[in-house]
C-alpha cells in the first residue's frame, strides 16, 4: 500500500511541481504527510491503516520529487547541497531504526502508533517553515516555457536505465538477497542470520553516512557529472565482483566488510545520476522527468523480489550476486555513451541551452 502510494505520488507530484510550482507542491506534500501520520496513530481498522499508508506513501514519493528541483534551482553549490540532504536521509533512517527498538521496548504492541504520532508531530515545524520559503525564481521565469526535449531523449533513456539498476540493487541486495539467500548459504540459522544481516546493514549504513558527508560531498562538484557517475558505478562494479568472491568462498566477515566498502563511495555515482536527472532538463519539465524516473524505478524495485524468488530454484546465490555485478556493468557501459552537463553551468545557462 505504501509503495503503491509512493509510485503514484512520484508521477503525480512530478506533474504538479511543474504546474503549480515548487513551493506550493512542497507545502501540499508535507501537510498530507503530517495528517496521514497523525491519523495512522489513531487507526483501529486494517482498511484504515492500509488507506492511510497509501496516502502517506503518496506524500513521501511526491515530496522527494518536488524537493530536488527546489534545491537545484535555489542553491549555488547544488551538488553539495543535494548530497548533504540525501545523506541526511540515510542518517534519519539509521536513527529511526534505533528509535524503533526503543519504542518497541517501551510500548510493545502500541509502538507503531507512537512512531507515527512522533513522525507527524516532528514534521509540523518543517511544514510551517515551508509556507515562509520563497518560490523558485527559476520556475517563475522559465516554468511556463514550452520546450521540445527531443535532443534529451537519449540522455533520459540512459538515466532511466541506470536509475532503475541503482534502485533494484539498493533494494535487492540488502533486503532480499542478503537475508533470504546469502545468509542461509553461509550456514547461518534463522536467529544467527538475523544478527548477521543486522551487522551487515549497520556497517553499510554507517559507511554510506560517513562517505556521504566526507568523500562524496568533497568530490561531487569537483568532478564533472559524467565522471562522477562513471567513477561511482565503476567503484560499485569492483565492489560487487569482490562481493561475489566473498560469497563464493563463504566468508561472512568478507561480506560485511565489502558491503561497508561498497556503501562508502557508491553513492557518488547514484547521487550524480539523480542530480543530472533534475538539473540537465529545463524548468518546465524538470519535475516531470524526475517523477517519471523516480516512479519507474520504484515499480522495478517492487517487482524485483518476485523475480528473484521465482528464479531461486534455477540460479544459485553466487550467480545471483554476480548478476548484480553484471547489472552495474551495464550501467557503466551506458554512462559512457552519453553527453551531459558538467555540473559547473549555472541554471540560466542550462535553460538557454534548451531554447
Amino acid at each position: 500500500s505504501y509503495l503503491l502510494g509512493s509510485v503514484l505520488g512520484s508521477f503525480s507530484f512530478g506533474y504538479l511541481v511543474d504546474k503549480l510550482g515548487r513551493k506550493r507542491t512542497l507545502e501540499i506534500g508535507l501537510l498530507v504527510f503530517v495528517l496521514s501520520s497523525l491519523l495512522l496513530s489513531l487507526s483501529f481498522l486494517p482498511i484504515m491503516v492500509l488507506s492511510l499508508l497509501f496516502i502517506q506513501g503518496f506524500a513521501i514519493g511526491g515530496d522527494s520529487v518536488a524537493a530536488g528541483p527546489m534545491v537545484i534551482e535555489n542553491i549555488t553549490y547544488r551538488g553539495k547541497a543535494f548530497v548533504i540532504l540525501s545523506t541526511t536521509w540515510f542518517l534519519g533512517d539509521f536513527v529511526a531504526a534505533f528509535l524503533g527498538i526503543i519504542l518497541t521496548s517501551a510500548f510493545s504492541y502500541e509502538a507503531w502508533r507512537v512512531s507515527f504520532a512522533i513522525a507527524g508531530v516532528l514534521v509540523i515545524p518543517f511544514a510551517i517553515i515551508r509556507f515562509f520559503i520563497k518560490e523558485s525564481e527559476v520556475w517563475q521565469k522559465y516554468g511556463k516555457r514550452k520546450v521540445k526535449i527531443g535532443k534529451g531523449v537519449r540522455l533520459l533513456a540512459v538515466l532511466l536505465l541506470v536509475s532503475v539498476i541503482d534502485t533494484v540493487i539498493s533494494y535487492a541486495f540488502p533486503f532480499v538477497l542478503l537475508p533470504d539467500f546469502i545468509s542461509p548459504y553461509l550456514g547461518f540459522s534463522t536467529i544467527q542470520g538475523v544478527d548477521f544481516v543486522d551487522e551487515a546493514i549497520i556497517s553499510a549504513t554507517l559507511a554510506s553516512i560517513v562517505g556521504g558527508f566526507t568523500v562524496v560531498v568533497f568530490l561531487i562538484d569537483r568532478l564533472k557529472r559524467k565522471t562522477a557517475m562513471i567513477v561511482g558505478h565503476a567503484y560499485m562494479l569492483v565492489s560487487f565482483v569482490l562481493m561475489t568472491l566473498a560469497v563464493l568462498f563463504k566468508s561472512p566477515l568478507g561480506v560485511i566488510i565489502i558491503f561497508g566498502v561498497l556503501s562508502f563511495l557508491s553513492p557518488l555515482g547514484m547521487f550524480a545520476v539523480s542530480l543530472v536527472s533534475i538539473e540537465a532538463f529545463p524548468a518546465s519539465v524538470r519535475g516531470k522527468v524526475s517523477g517519471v524516473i523516480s516512479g519507474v524505478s520504484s515499480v522495478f524495485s517492487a517487482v524485483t523480489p518476485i523475480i528473484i524468488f521465482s528464479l531461486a530454484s534455477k540460479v544459485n546465490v553466487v550467480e545471483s550476486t554476480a548478476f548484480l555485478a553484471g547489472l552495474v556493468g551495464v550501467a557503466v557501459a551506458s554512462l559512457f555513451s552519453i553527453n551531459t552537463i558538467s555540473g559547473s553551468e549555472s541554471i540560466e545557462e542550462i535553460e538557454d541551452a534548451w531554447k
Side-chain angles (χ1 to χ4, degrees), residues 265-284:
L265 191 57
S266 294
L268 173 65
M270 295 181 175
F271 291 161
V273 169
S274 297
L275 267 169
V276 173
S277 299
I278 302 170
E279 63 184 350
F281 294 90
S284 56

Side-chain angles (χ1 to χ4, degrees), residues 20 36 49 63 69 77 117 122 125 142 260-261 275 306:
L20 303 179
S36 60
V49 174
D63 193 76
Y77 296 101
L122 284 179
Y142 300 104
V261 171
L275 267 169
I306 301 173

Side-chain angles (χ1 to χ4, degrees), residues 210-220 264-265 268:
V210 173
F213 283 131
T214 56
V215 179
V216 176
V217 77
F218 176 80
L219 291 176
I220 193 66
F264 183 77
L265 191 57
L268 173 65

